Amino acid sequence: MRRAFQAATIVAALALAVSACGGGGGGEAAPAQSAPADPSKITGQITWWDTTRPDSEGPTFQALIKEFQAKYPGIKVNYVNVPFDQAQNQFQTAAQAGTGAPDVIRAEVAWTPQFASLGYLQPLDGTRALDGTESDFLPGPLSSTKYNGKTWAVPQVTDSLALIYNKRLLKEAGHEEPPKTMAELKQVALDVKDKTGVPGLSLNVDSYFLLPFIYGEGGDLLDVRSKKIVIDSPANVKAMATVSDLVTSGAAAKPAITDSYVNAMTAIKEGKTAMIFNGPWALSELYQGAEFKDKDNLGIAPVPAGSVKAGAPTGGHNLAIYAGSKNLDASYEFVRFMTSKEAMAKMSAELGLLPPRASVFEDPAVKANKDVTVFKPIMDTAVPRPWIPEGGQLFQPLLEGYQALVGGKETPEQMVKNVDQRYRGIFKDWS
Amino acid sequence: MSISTGRVSSTARGRAAGDAHARGHRRGEPGRVRRAIRAHWYAWAMVAPVVVVMCALVGWPLARGIFLSLTDATEANIGRTIGVNVIPASYEFVGLENYAGILTSGVFWAKLTWTAVWTVACVALHYGLGLGLAMLLNRRLRFRSVYRVLLILPWAIPAFVAAFIWRYLYNSDYGVFNAMLGAVGLGPVGWLDDPTTARIAVIAVNVWLGVPFMMVALLGGLQGISRELYEAAEVDGAGPGQRFRHITLPGLRAVSSTVILLGTIWTFNMFPVIFLVTGGGPGSETEILVTYAFREAFTGVRNYSGSAAWGLIILGLLVLLALGYRRALRRQGEVW
């Protein structure tokens, strides 16, 4: 009798939470889905592969799991932290073999359509994983969960690139404001170099970090709708010329090609460079640096605009459910809980990660986290990438091109031509 | 000595086999088989588990690899059952198309050339340095055992740990080498950022890793050469160069031929050094055949057929190499 009463209160609480979300997201009614009569009665074990950094981000998610288990006493969640750079391959191996795959995986946005196209994911339309507040989710991250007209995941975190700078160094060079265009970026970087003696900008030679230059000139890699490869365009040549000019003019330090990311991060943390491009995931690491003991010294601004616009790629992570899961009902509930407004608010307030729900930005605890509020306007410049199964294959040719470009081995024209050739090998029937 | 005993026993065995053969013919085929089983059943029984395991671990994957390399199988069209999703296999037999595609691509020949350069350079340096160090350690000198331990140390360090240490040493901004160059007033070198220096860098790492093995093997060989030979040569007035050429090198031949073949195969397929030190970069300039095949197989939607074809081509190259090497040795009079 008592247990039934408890269950009833939990259901009531859940219903309240759901309707609250609905209210925030534009007044959709709580969904009436074909779920078990009482979700809190679901029993079983599920495994979750998390790809966050175990030391700085993991504890918050483990705390959320404790909350989930308190709410669903019958479900036990096995938390497994898989390094981000291995998770995709490991999941593919396990999913294909049919053993060892987790029930729920934190899939990067670009992995989601790939896993879905291979049949590894469970479609979520009409399940309790979606709480019916789709309009609350930001359109960019939400678009990454759709493939072939179905929903395969729920956005958990979103991110984009920003210009991260050392306020002290910019001030010493006579600039109070961060650069707003690529031309200003070059000027500010050169001024920093002249006045302070440290390089103004450190580039991370990685395809993802090349995208702001491409989007800034109005360029792109693919036109998915008309099945066209559009990398070899005048806009992209211009973008590559900008990058190449930053290096040859001395505005950017000669970038390392191996360990590029680590070197750029070390440089800015130690005051050996004034500006880098990076995303919100890097903030907790940046604040450990000597230069940012005083958190106020770290400036965050939208990426500088090219001649067309300011644009940075949409990144982030989704929660997806393995189609071979033995415990789909528990998995649905877990995904629903982890992507709820409350769970996201806790995650964003504690870790400074960007929530993919519009309403969570209004949460007072989240508002108090300055990193989140600073990044909010930057998400407006985020450009969704092509969400296609081959998305993951686009980066290697672009990376090799970027390395050849900054190494002075290829001109901008040659570089886009060569990447174009490689893409034609991947998309054989595209024009 | 050992060579001559080998010859004797093999001829003895040959004669025995010949006798059995002759007798088998007299009694007819079934009798011979039955007789062989009756005489050697325990040997078959003892070998059986190993044969079964070998078939399961080597034979089956190899057969499946050959089959896949003749199809257009990828992760997307191979049959699989995931929960309620039952996806039937839809790949097709395409004959030798995968092989033709690889062998006619410029990438394959470029990678093969670099792999050959890499293998020859590494093995030559392994052997040369290993032999030099082995000869140093083969004399009586103080602290010999200390030197031996120190020189074997790189071997004791797992390859991936060594790769990460070297990668740090080579770092263009914060590496030890560039700090040393800076200390003597020279500009930094982007060790892993330029194709030529990156190639030299990975060869250096692999040489560092591989020399201890050569040294230990050759030291064993050196200790097997009788002192008397050297003393006799000295009495006859042979100089150090002559003694090295006419006693040391021939005396080491049996060990050398084995370790060079092993070293070649290991270096040809030395995945971790390339993959962990440069990741194949800059561009794909330092990528050898195996790392390239790995990348073909494991980026994005996995290409099972293409990577199987790559793997079999690599296997074929090594088999050819081993056969050619064996022939060359046999011509020199080795029974191998």
Side-chain angles (χ1 to χ4, degrees):
Chain A
M1 201 50 214
R2 232 179 114 185
R3 188 165 291 166
F5 178 71
Q6 268 179 350
T9 40
I10 289 164
V11 173
L14 252 181
L16 259 176
V18 167
S19 56
C21 293
E28 269 177 82
Q33 278 144 347
S34 59
D38 184 355
S40 67
K41 285 270 171 60
I42 297 170
T43 56
Q45 282 203 13
I46 56 170
T47 301
W48 177 40
W49 278 11
D50 185 18
T51 58
T52 57
R53 289 202 302 175
D55 49 344
S56 56
E57 299 172 327
T60 301
F61 292 105
Q62 285 184 326
L64 280 170
I65 289 174
K66 281 215 178 84
E67 278 180 37
F68 173 77
Q69 291 181 149
K71 211 163 171 181
Y72 297 84
I75 303 177
K76 187 176 178 311
V77 180
N78 299 315
Y79 176 85
V80 181
N81 196 295
V82 183
F84 173 70
D85 53 351
Q86 295 165 23
Q88 184 185 15
N89 242 326
Q90 291 191 6
F91 183 74
Q92 276 176 262
T93 305
Q96 170 92 64
T99 55
D103 300 275
V104 179
I105 179 162
R106 182 179 195 250
E108 207 254 347
V109 282
W111 306 350
T112 311
Q114 190 199 333
F115 292 163
S117 78
L118 293 171
Y120 296 157
L121 300 184
Q122 180 73 9
L124 302 180
D125 305 275
T127 68
R128 276 186 54 85
L130 305 179
D131 61 9
T133 58
E134 199 164 82
S135 57
D136 189 26
F137 284 93
L138 305 178
L142 189 67
S143 66
S144 75
T145 64
K146 310 279 186 195
Y147 175 74
N148 251 353
K150 283 187 188 163
T151 305
W152 301 91
V154 187
Q156 186 210 14
V157 181
T158 186
D159 58 53
S160 188
L161 289 176
L163 181 75
I164 289 172
Y165 61 99
N166 184 324
K167 286 184 184 163
R168 177 182 67 81
L169 285 172
L170 254 61
K171 204 172 276 172
E172 280 175 27
H175 292 277
E176 291 291 328
E177 290 291 313
K180 292 197 171 52
T181 65
M182 291 296 177
E184 284 177 34
L185 176 72
K186 182 181 169 188
Q187 193 52 51
V188 171
L190 286 171
D191 287 349
V192 170
K193 198 183 172 195
D194 282 349
K195 302 245 170 65
T196 67
V198 302
L201 174 69
S202 284
L203 292 173
N204 172 13
V205 184
D206 190 1
S207 340
Y208 189 72
F209 292 75
L210 192 59
L211 295 175
F213 295 97
I214 290 178
Y215 294 152
E217 297 299 333
D220 209 336
L221 307 181
L222 302 174
D223 179 353
V224 175
R225 197 164 294 165
S226 52
K227 292 206 162 191
K228 273 198 176 120
I229 297 165
V230 296
I231 176 88
D232 188 3
S233 68
N236 287 343
V237 171
K238 202 173 162 203
M240 295 311 130
T242 307
V243 177
S244 171
D245 179 50
L246 283 172
V247 178
T248 49
S249 68
K254 190 174 180 340
I257 284 175
T258 310
D259 288 326
S260 205
Y261 180 88
V262 179
N263 283 14
M265 283 292 277
T266 312
I268 194 155
K269 281 197 288 188
E270 295 182 355
K272 288 181 180 158
T273 193
M275 296 179 278
I276 62 165
F277 288 113
N278 217 332
W281 63 82
L283 292 177
S284 52
E285 187 189 337
L286 283 168
Y287 286 131
Q288 291 166 358
E291 199 63 28
F292 305 110
K293 285 270 179 296
D294 171 19
K295 284 193 174 189
D296 285 337
N297 193 30
L298 186 83
I300 301 169
V303 292
S307 60
V308 176
K309 62 175 179 185
T314 300
H317 301 270
N318 300 324
L319 291 181
I321 297 175
Y322 178 49
S325 167
K326 301 247 162 19
N327 213 330
L328 284 171
D329 283 333
S331 303
Y332 294 147
E333 294 301 327
F334 182 66
V335 168
R336 182 190 180 101
F337 176 86
M338 293 299 278
T339 57
S340 68
K341 213 174 137 181
E342 293 74 17
M344 274 185 201
K346 182 179 167 77
M347 167 191 91
S348 298
E350 286 184 13
L351 302 175
L353 296 174
L354 300 184
R357 280 177 182 268
S359 60
V360 177
F361 282 103
E362 307 307 320
D363 186 287
V366 175
K367 269 190 169 162
N369 188 320
K370 258 175 51 194
D371 297 333
V372 178
T373 43
V374 167
F375 261 101
K376 172 99 194 347
I378 290 167
M379 287 317 295
D380 300 336
T381 65
V383 181
R385 286 181 276 156
W387 307 123
I388 49 173
E390 297 87 353
Q393 280 158 281
L394 295 174
F395 281 150
Q396 184 62 28
L398 195 58
L399 169 68
E400 291 181 14
Y402 193 178
Q403 293 181 341
L405 182 77
V406 297
K409 301 269 180 293
E410 286 177 6
T411 64
E413 288 84 4
Q414 287 168 333
M415 182 249 172
V416 294
K417 269 213 174 59
N418 288 345
V419 178
D420 179 79
Q421 282 300 313
R422 301 273 302 272
Y423 282 3
R424 291 191 189 280
I426 302 171
F427 302 95
K428 295 212 169 70
D429 50 346
W430 287 37
S431 58
Chain B
M1 268 312 276
S2 65
I3 288 168
S4 63
T5 27
R7 219 170 261 153
V8 167
S9 70
S10 78
T11 32
R13 216 180 298 134
R15 208 179 302 128
D19 289 350
H21 197 69
R23 251 174 271 144
H25 260 282
R26 245 195 331 265
R27 293 192 187 176
E29 279 306 301
R32 183 181 149 221
V33 171
R34 204 177 305 142
R35 193 188 143 84
I37 291 173
R38 204 185 319 137
H40 301 297
W41 65 270
Y42 55 89
W44 288 110
M46 281 181 197
V47 166
V50 178
V51 170
V52 169
V53 169
M54 287 288 278
C55 282
L57 290 183
V58 179
W60 164 243
L62 186 65
R64 177 137 178 94
I66 294 171
F67 168 70
L68 282 176
S69 74
L70 300 173
T71 67
D72 63 352
T74 66
E75 193 176 7
N77 61 18
I78 205 156
R80 55 202 182 276
T81 305
I82 293 137
V84 289
N85 298 355
V86 179
I87 300 155
S90 60
Y91 58 90
E92 285 165 1
F93 191 78
V94 295
L96 296 173
E97 209 172 88
N98 291 318
Y99 294 96
I102 292 169
L103 294 177
T104 53
S105 69
V107 174
F108 172 75
W109 296 103
K111 299 290 165 241
L112 181 62
T113 311
W114 158 236
T115 309
V117 171
W118 148 265
T119 309
V120 170
C122 285
V123 174
L125 287 166
H126 281 160
Y127 186 79
L129 292 175
L131 182 58
L133 289 170
M135 300 213 6
L136 283 179
L137 287 180
N138 197 31
R139 325 164 153 235
R140 249 174 237 121
L141 75 169
R142 275 212 286 177
F143 308 120
R144 186 161 71 163
S145 46
V146 176
Y147 293 137
R148 279 190 192 177
V149 170
L150 283 179
L151 283 167
I152 293 172
L153 210 60
W155 200 15
I157 299 177
F160 77 95
V161 176
F164 282 124
I165 294 172
W166 278 88
R167 188 167 159 164
Y168 170 68
L169 297 178
Y170 283 132
N171 191 308
S172 55
D173 297 328
Y174 306 100
V176 174
F177 291 143
N178 280 348
M180 276 152 59
L181 286 179
V184 295
L186 294 171
V189 175
W191 293 104
L192 302 179
D193 299 344
D194 177 77
T196 315
T197 52
R199 286 176 169 178
I200 295 170
V202 284
I203 289 176
V205 177
N206 195 37
V207 166
W208 184 82
L209 276 171
V211 161
F213 168 75
M214 285 286 185
M215 189 191 76
V216 171
L218 293 172
L219 188 57
L222 284 177
Q223 286 172 346
I225 302 174
S226 164
R227 291 241 144 248
E228 288 158 21
L229 288 175
Y230 287 102
E231 282 158 17
E234 222 164 326
V235 169
D236 288 347
Q242 283 173 313
R243 288 196 301 257
F244 177 73
R245 268 207 17 233
H246 297 293
I247 301 174
T248 312
L249 284 186
L252 281 177
R253 192 182 282 155
V255 177
S256 302
S257 57
T258 312
V259 290
I260 287 179
L261 181 65
L262 275 180
T264 306
I265 293 173
W266 285 343
T267 309
F268 197 87
N269 283 339
M270 182 46 84
F271 182 83
V273 169
I274 303 277
F275 189 75
L276 296 176
V277 176
T278 63
S284 65
E285 297 284 344
T286 56
E287 202 124 52
I288 56 174
L289 288 173
V290 275
T291 58
Y292 192 80
F294 174 82
R295 190 192 287 167
E296 285 282 291
F298 289 101
T299 39
V301 178
R302 293 171 177 185
N303 183 354
Y304 294 133
S305 53
S307 50
W310 269 97
L312 283 164
I313 286 176
I314 294 170
L315 177 69
L317 286 171
L318 284 173
V319 167
L320 278 181
L321 184 103
L323 287 178
Y325 186 73
R326 217 187 118 182
R327 255 196 133 141
L329 287 181
R330 203 184 293 152
R331 216 172 295 136
Q332 287 173 21
E334 297 281 330
V335 281
W336 191 82

